Amino acid sequence: MDDLKSKYLGLIADASDEAAIEEVRLTALGKKGEISLAMRELGKMTPEERQVAGPALNAIKDEINSALAAKKTALSDAALDERLRGEWLDVTLPSRGRRTGSIHPISQVTEEITAILADMGFAVAEGPQIESDWYNFDALNIPGHHPARAEMDTFYTHRATGDNRPPHVLRTHTSPVQIRALEAQGAPIRIIAPGRVYRADYDQTHTPMFHQVEGLAIDKGISMANLKWTLEELMSAFFGTRVKTRFRASHFPFTEPSAEVDIQCRWDNGSVTVGEGDDWLEVLGSGMVHPKVLQNAGIDPNEWQGFAFGMGIDRMAMLKYGIPDLRAFFDSDLRWLRHYGFASLDVPTLHGGLSK
Ligand code: PHE
């Protein structure tokens, strides 16, 4: 019996993993295990023999069972220690640098212009980029035969054969938002509408998608003087220096009178500086909203009047940040984006500064 006991305790001590332990358990205590078989022999013994052998076998069985359990615990503790050693990490190490994205100059400039005009009481309005004929043209006093429709190189949507409704257009300017905002809100109103516009045109200074910001102020007693002040304030705040403006008589079907607005600048061998010199650069179209436009939007032109303007955002970004080629805006070249992009936490505000 002592041999039996030391044999199995030895095997248990030598077992190096759980499978080996299970193996030992089966050979000793399994149905056909050596101890189990020995216990079965008890029946054949005389009562005197059994009285000695029975408790002795039971004691061995108990001892082997607890040795098995103890070894199991020891093995799993060792495994855990091993894992903790292997998976140890130094949380005090500096992290690996991660590249962060940047804010696109057009988004930046849109936010800058919005911050300036919001401070003057203009709220942001929006409209769809796929627009109906009515909002993009007719409501703005541009009838079907008007040359402005052709001039704008409009993209039309396709209709199924047999569908004779007029096609929709990709809005050619942000002016349709004037109508939508007036319909939704009525007068008085002061809104700006920044967003994408589309014209079929592509060269160094034109891309088929570009950005405008529309401005609209309707109230009682608004005049061109308010328009001029607003635009001069806008330009000066945007460029961070006093910028002179020049209003040139022009024509838009939706404003009367109409003016194209130039800002003061200087050219030195190909690069332009705004707010100095005696050259002029055209940056926007504007005017007093045409009575027909107000009427089309359900506003009584005898009671209300006001101004509107439309400005190219991309052009403003090029001028302020010295970006020479418009097309680069839309190439998604990462090197370009890193060079001209802005930090995402530097949100333009008038009190915090428009740009860093
Ligand atoms: N919608 C005009 C354009 O795209 C700009 C404009 C807007 C002119 C508002 C006058 C008033 O050229």
Side-chain angles (χ1 to χ4, degrees), residues 152 172-175 178 199 210 212 214-215 252 254-255 258-259 284-287 308-311:
M152 279 187 170
T172 57
H173 50 181
T174 43
S175 300
Q178 288 186 33
R199 293 181 201 176
F210 59 103
Q212 289 189 333
E214 194 80 7
F252 299 102
F254 34 91
T255 46
S258 302
L284 59 87
S286 66
F309 61 85
M311 182 169 75

